[in-house]
Amino acid sequence: MKILVTGGAGYIGSHTCVELLNAGFELVVIDDFSNSKPTVIEKIKTITGKDFSFYEMDYLNRSLLEKIFKENEIGAVINFAGYKAVGESVEKPIDYYINNVSGALVLLDTMKKYGVKKFVFSSSATVYGEPKKIPLTEDCHVGETTNPYGTTKLFIEQILKDIYRSDSTWDIAILRYFNPVGAHESGLIGEDPEGIPNNLMPYITKVASHELEKLSIFGNDYDTKDGTGVRDYIHVVDLAKGHVLALNKLDKEEKGLFVYNLGTGKGYSVLDIVKTYEKVNNVEIPYQITERRKGDIAIYYADPTKAKEELGFVASKTLDDMCQDAYRFASKK
Ligand code: UFG
């Protein structure tokens, strides 16, 4: 039985492919390289010393998808394909709903046709919207997402719940990621956004490597220890390992729809990140304090207890590792 990974050349997808191959899974990977590079596929093979089938294709291409299900014995699907830029999603909602929601539907419908009912979905902590309490547990209210990207994640979660309700032989894991950062310790794969990054860690990395002049810190008047926003940063390799554990859970007899937060349970401020990055990499990160970014929330972090108890998931990498690995990847490029 093989695992079909959609979006396997992307940031989280590529790290997960490495961990799945290391754990002995056989893979079929697809990606259309709309936000990733073909060289990543070779790098996954270099890191692991293992081979897998790869198809360059859009996951909305139903006939090609069917060909993959016919040619391979697929046992489960992990869906990383999808657009993920919050700001862009506000500008191009139709593109986001088509790519993310229709893509997931095409995939799920094809799975149903071929009798494959194990599905791991890349969701996001953004589905919690403005938190009513911190830390966030999986039973916290979801909804009131503030942008189409977040709403696509919410809609797909609802679709999965409806599918499971209609047929309880499906086995589904919804993984709500907090803030994935860092890179593989080899420095071969990592986060490589096109243009000016929206997210904190890639932005800092471009300042460290002098591609950008200085960081703008979006507000220092939040009700947090130093006034800057607090997030739950999780090393992408820890996050990737969470997918292996989720698949193992789906391989057990008991069927179900399971929802897990993947975070560390620790909140770090923007200034914590800047200081740690400077210290561990021996670089300077010039910054200025600017206005708050619209839609930002002061404090967001996970209660990771459920993933620990039910999956055995514990994020083991530190903030030092996250900052060091992010910089190593950028320096090697
Ligand atoms: N920040 C800055 N300057 C920057 C970029 C970010 O100060 O140039 C601050 C933000 O204000 C925030 C923190 O750094 O306080 C983290 O911001 P990111 O953009 O890195 O991450 P977000 O928490 O805003 O969003 C991330 C993902 C979303 C996901 C969300 C929910 O980008 O896809 O987490 O967990 F939906």
Side-chain angles (χ1 to χ4, degrees), residues 84 86 124-127 147 149-150 177-180 197-203 215-219 222 228-231 233 270 293 296-298 300:
K84 61 172 188 180
V86 172
S124 166
T126 196
V127 298
N147 56 77
Y149 158 75
Y177 309 153
F178 280 71
N179 290 55
N198 299 305
N199 297 116
L200 181 64
M201 192 67 95
Y203 201 106
L215 171 71
S216 294
I217 295 184
F218 301 141
Y222 286 106
T228 66
V230 167
R231 294 289 182 276
Y233 297 91
V270 177
R293 184 171 63 179
D296 268 355
I297 285 160
Y300 223 69

Side-chain angles (χ1 to χ4, degrees), residues 64-107:
L64 273 181
L65 208 51
E66 291 218 16
K67 184 169 170 275
I68 290 176
F69 278 81
K70 279 188 205 128
E71 285 176 2
N72 300 275
E73 215 183 318
I74 305 291
V77 176
I78 309 186
N79 182 23
F80 294 106
Y83 295 153
K84 61 172 188 180
V86 172
E88 187 187 58
S89 78
V90 178
E91 308 297 318
K92 301 178 179 175
I94 296 176
D95 293 9
Y96 271 69
Y97 287 112
I98 290 180
N99 193 46
N100 294 8
V101 181
S102 304
L105 282 170
V106 168
L107 194 56

Side-chain angles (χ1 to χ4, degrees), residues 275-320:
K275 284 182 203 141
T276 306
Y277 203 102
E278 288 183 322
K279 178 192 75 179
V280 299
N281 296 315
N282 198 21
V283 291
E284 253 188 84
I285 308 295
Y287 66 81
Q288 60 184 355
I289 307 291
T290 61
E291 297 271 283
R292 289 182 177 193
R293 184 171 63 179
K294 206 167 158 272
D296 268 355
I297 285 160
I299 305 184
Y300 223 69
Y301 62 88
D303 179 338
T305 310
K306 189 175 175 215
K308 183 178 179 194
E309 286 177 358
E310 295 185 17
L311 300 179
F313 175 76
V314 179
S316 62
K317 293 196 181 267
T318 62
L319 186 59
D320 284 12

Side-chain angles (χ1 to χ4, degrees), residues 26 131 185 228 264:
E26 284 187 69
E185 62 179 12
T228 66
T264 65

Side-chain angles (χ1 to χ4, degrees), residues 196-197 199-208 212 214-216:
I196 298 178
N199 297 116
L200 181 64
M201 192 67 95
Y203 201 106
I204 291 181
T205 301
K206 288 212 189 253
V207 174
L212 292 170
K214 62 177 152 185
L215 171 71
S216 294

Side-chain angles (χ1 to χ4, degrees), residues 234-243 264 313-318:
I234 175 168
H235 195 292
V236 65
V237 171
D238 279 331
L239 188 76
K241 288 179 176 160
H243 294 73
T264 65
F313 175 76
V314 179
S316 62
K317 293 196 181 267
T318 62

